[in-house]
Amino acid sequence: MPSANRDQTVGNGADFVAQAPSGHVFSSALGSFPTVTGVKSEKSVGVRAFGDGGILGNNEYTLQVNTNFFHSAACGSFTNCLAWQQYVMSTNTPVSLTSNSLTGDTEVFIEYWLIDYGRHTGANICPSGFIDGGEDSEGPGDDCVQNTAATDIFNGQIPITDLASLTLSGSAHAGGTDAATVTFDGEAFSATVADKFTDIASGWSLAEFNVLGNAGGSEAEFNTPVSLTAKIALTDGTTTAPTCLPPSDIDGTTGETNNLTAGSCTTTGGSSPFIEFTESN
């Protein structure tokens, strides 16, 4: 499964993060790659800092739209607790969070978290609907996690050479349903979850998107040379241009990376605000 990382950015600093205008939150973020140049191959490789984990090999990668960490109503009275949500397309996924068997197919799902929830006792302290992932590395509580049922997109791994034909969107609606939707060759595939599990809609102010390694803090290693333009189209109830936050040690939230380096980022307002950034090797 994709992994949390509260200490470093996505993509080894390869991406920018979109920030909503002050006082507003995102209800959706749509990620795409309008320009893809030179992509011939990709493989997911292990990273020593994450124990060389992940689903490794050729055409093993994820697309991810990730929210920020924040204390939401779903945390209840536990002040250290942080909600977090990942909208994920994976070219290979475990059958479940508790299984080592892989589906072998490309799927879309939502992974949702309450990080550092409660106080660790050795027993399952997570709310109903979550798996207790064990003691949090930084606080007194446990990390509670769950995946939605995954929706099949493709039998096998979608080749990385089809990257330009893929989009991934995440949406969140207070009191309603959150959805991850992948379009591939013009067809849409979705997975959903009730927003009440994380209350992510109440505080989603940062959105990040990229192509990354497949789970376990792995890295998507591209052939050389490769150049991509990534676009994040955003809905926040305004026509104001979002802010581009440059790669830093505090804005990224996932442990997976790629071997590309960030270039420039531009922002656009209007009826469909978005940011675009370049990355290359």
Side-chain angles (χ1 to χ4, degrees):
M1 63 183 178
S3 55
N5 184 6
R6 285 179 274 176
D7 299 312
Q8 71 178 46
T9 58
V10 171
N12 283 331
D15 64 0
F16 290 79
V17 176
Q19 183 178 45
S22 178
H24 294 269
V25 293
F26 295 127
S27 60
S28 69
L30 170 64
S32 62
F33 294 98
T35 305
V36 176
T37 304
V39 172
K40 298 179 180 178
S41 65
E42 177 276 340
K43 61 181 178 180
S44 184
V45 298
V47 174
R48 180 175 297 179
F50 288 90
D52 293 314
I55 302 170
L56 311 181
N58 293 329
N59 280 314
E60 298 286 4
Y61 62 93
T62 58
L63 303 186
Q64 296 183 24
V65 169
N66 296 303
T67 73
N68 48 297
F69 300 112
F70 68 96
H71 180 78
S72 78
C75 289
S77 62
F78 301 118
T79 56
N80 290 320
C81 169
L82 298 171
W84 180 48
Q85 195 147 281
Q86 297 185 281
Y87 305 88
V88 183
M89 188 211 83
S90 172
T91 57
N92 202 354
T93 60
V95 172
S96 72
L97 282 175
T98 57
S99 173
N100 293 322
S101 298
L102 300 175
T103 65
D105 294 333
T106 303
E107 299 177 321
V108 60
F109 61 95
I110 300 173
E111 185 164 299
Y112 49 102
W113 296 71
L114 296 176
I115 296 171
D116 199 6
Y117 180 90
R119 183 167 293 277
H120 177 73
T121 64
N124 183 351
I125 63 171
C126 291
S128 176
F130 286 87
I131 292 172
D132 192 327
E135 189 173 7
D136 182 77
S137 62
E138 298 180 21
D142 285 0
D143 292 339
C144 304
V145 61
Q146 186 57 276
N147 284 358
T148 66
T151 300
D152 283 341
I153 300 169
F154 184 80
N155 184 14
Q157 286 71 53
I158 295 177
I160 195 65
T161 49
D162 286 336
L163 187 61
S165 68
L166 289 163
T167 72
L168 170 65
S169 70
S171 65
H173 300 284
T177 301
D178 303 344
T181 301
V182 168
T183 62
F184 177 52
D185 286 342
E187 188 172 358
F189 306 84
S190 294
T192 61
V193 67
D195 187 72
K196 67 180 181 180
F197 286 105
T198 58
D199 192 37
I200 212 73
S202 67
W204 184 11
S205 60
L206 301 177
E208 55 187 356
F209 164 74
N210 217 330
V211 54
L212 306 161
N214 194 353
S218 58
E219 179 178 87
E221 184 178 274
F222 286 87
N223 63 282
T224 303
V226 159
S227 177
L228 306 177
T229 299
K231 179 179 179 179
I232 314 175
L234 301 151
T235 303
D236 56 37
T238 77
T239 58
T240 304
T243 301
C244 278
L245 296 182
S248 74
D249 289 336
I250 61 173
D251 294 319
T253 55
T254 191
E256 286 73 52
T257 57
N258 65 39
N259 70 335
L260 307 179
T261 299
S264 60
C265 185
T266 59
T267 69
T268 301
S271 59
S272 300
F274 65 90
I275 71 168
E276 278 190 335
F277 62 90
T278 58
E279 50 187 329
S280 61
N281 59 14

